[in-house]
Amino acid sequence: MKISQIASLIVVGALAAPLASYAADKPAGPTKAWVKDSMVTTKVKAELAASKVSSLAKVHVETDADGYVQLTGKVATQADKDKAESVAKAVDGVKSVDNQLVVTGK
């Protein structure tokens, strides 16, 4: 009898584990703010890609709920770094840009 109860607990635990991991994937804040962040990030990335500067493809973009954008990664020239910042600032919904891009000179 005890073995069947233990087996049942193991099966229930195995079935519940994926639910716990799914809950961990959800955004911590309100869904509306998370969607807005994602939209701004997507717009910035699309504009960077549209600028056709090859080194801007390596730029990582993060956005918070207040429209604060942080650019990280590596670019070839100072002009590329400046271009990335100006492109990000021009996107609707962006309030400020923290440009942490590193110029590699390559």
Side-chain angles (χ1 to χ4, degrees), residues 40 43-45 47-48 61 67 69-71 82-98:
V40 171
K43 287 180 186 177
V44 170
K45 287 181 178 181
E47 292 298 320
L48 289 172
V61 179
V69 173
Q70 184 177 44
L71 304 174
D82 297 340
K83 175 77 172 175
E85 184 172 345
S86 66
V87 166
K89 284 181 177 178
V91 171
D92 188 39
V94 174
K95 293 188 177 143
S96 68
V97 176
D98 178 22

Side-chain angles (χ1 to χ4, degrees), residues 2-102:
K2 285 195 176 227
I3 293 177
S4 67
Q5 289 176 340
I6 293 173
S8 296
L9 288 175
I10 290 172
V11 169
V12 169
L15 293 174
L19 294 175
S21 67
Y22 174 75
D25 288 343
K26 288 196 169 195
T31 303
K32 185 176 179 181
W34 184 76
V35 169
K36 180 183 172 199
D37 301 352
S38 296
M39 288 178 57
V40 171
T41 299
T42 301
K43 287 180 186 177
V44 170
K45 287 181 178 181
E47 292 298 320
L48 289 172
S51 71
K52 299 189 182 194
V53 177
S54 63
S55 70
L56 296 185
K58 299 175 185 127
V59 173
H60 182 72
V61 179
E62 290 189 34
T63 309
D64 73 2
D66 298 322
Y68 171 82
V69 173
Q70 184 177 44
L71 304 174
T72 56
K74 297 177 182 179
V75 292
T77 66
Q78 182 65 42
D80 290 349
K81 180 177 179 175
D82 297 340
K83 175 77 172 175
E85 184 172 345
S86 66
V87 166
K89 284 181 177 178
V91 171
D92 188 39
V94 174
K95 293 188 177 143
S96 68
V97 176
D98 178 22
N99 190 345
Q100 297 292 320
L101 294 171
V102 176

